[in-house]
Amino acid sequence: MKKVFLSFLVAATLFACTSKTTTAEKQIIGFDQSEEGNRVDLYPGDVAGIKIVEDFVKAHNDRDTATIRSLAATENFKLYGSNGMLSEGSDNHLKAIAPWFTNNNPKWKLNFCISNSYTNKDGKVQQWVTSGGVLTQTVEGKEVKLNQYYDVRIVNGKIQLMYIADRKPNAGE
């Protein structure tokens, strides 16, 4: 009888440990819609990506071009701005923002960052950080604020792709 009870206890313990691990690893936090119209589950991502996005924003606020360059992927870096701008390569990005830094003194404040991952149709896991904040800049001598939202793909600890969307805040916001 002791052997039966011990066997049951060992089996129950192993099952309980396996169930908890599987549930935590497979917790769905949302979905993405593929180009083909298929829903793809999103899972918690590597939180190290959040620090990369925070450092990228801080480097822009500090006008630290060396850090901006170091956080951008050396190959296939693309940044799509909300105004239709596309920067391909970190050097082109730095050229595009240099006059903006001088003329408009932009500053960013992050309000949230969420790390997520999903597996694309080729079976490759992609790491993304979705974040939002406020951009404050000077336009024609007046302070202008925009709420901005960023989707950032992190590859090998670098920003490879970034989409920016924005909108003017509503009155009282």
Side-chain angles (χ1 to χ4, degrees):
M1 184 69 166
K2 284 185 179 180
K3 288 183 181 180
V4 172
F5 180 73
L6 185 58
S7 295
F8 175 75
L9 184 61
V10 169
T13 303
L14 289 174
F15 178 75
C17 291
T18 303
S19 296
K20 288 179 184 175
T21 303
T22 302
T23 302
E25 290 175 2
K26 295 292 184 180
Q27 182 177 1
I28 298 171
I29 62 169
F31 71 91
D32 186 52
Q33 194 78 18
S34 74
E35 292 178 16
E36 298 81 24
N38 300 318
R39 284 175 62 132
V40 179
D41 291 334
L42 295 177
Y43 299 94
D46 184 352
V47 294
I50 292 172
K51 177 81 167 112
I52 294 166
V53 170
E54 287 177 311
D55 290 348
F56 195 70
V57 169
K58 182 179 184 319
H60 280 73
N61 283 337
D62 295 344
R63 312 302 189 247
D64 183 351
T65 56
T67 299
I68 294 170
R69 181 177 279 114
S70 75
L71 293 171
T74 55
E75 293 183 23
N76 302 317
F77 171 83
K78 290 183 182 179
L79 186 144
Y80 292 90
S82 59
N83 61 357
M85 175 197 77
L86 167 61
S87 293
E88 293 187 83
S90 60
D91 288 340
N92 287 333
H93 174 62
L94 292 171
K95 285 178 191 174
I97 62 176
W100 187 35
F101 282 171
T102 302
N103 298 329
N104 301 99
N105 192 33
K107 293 284 185 183
W108 292 264
K109 178 185 172 279
L110 283 177
N111 291 332
F112 70 89
C113 285
I114 303 166
S115 180
N116 61 83
S117 67
Y118 81 99
T119 304
N120 67 16
K121 64 183 178 184
D122 300 323
K124 185 174 181 181
V125 176
Q126 292 188 2
Q127 297 292 328
W128 287 82
V129 174
T130 302
S131 57
V134 177
L135 163 66
T136 304
Q137 60 183 330
T138 304
V139 178
E140 298 177 1
K142 295 181 183 174
E143 184 177 273
V144 175
K145 292 187 179 203
L146 290 173
N147 291 331
Q148 289 195 316
Y149 307 92
Y150 319 101
D151 275 326
V152 183
R153 185 169 66 203
I154 308 293
V155 177
N156 297 323
K158 305 282 185 177
I159 294 173
Q160 185 173 62
L161 180 61
M162 184 172 196
Y163 296 104
I164 302 171
D166 58 41
R167 69 173 181 80
K168 292 180 181 178
N170 293 318
E173 186 175 9

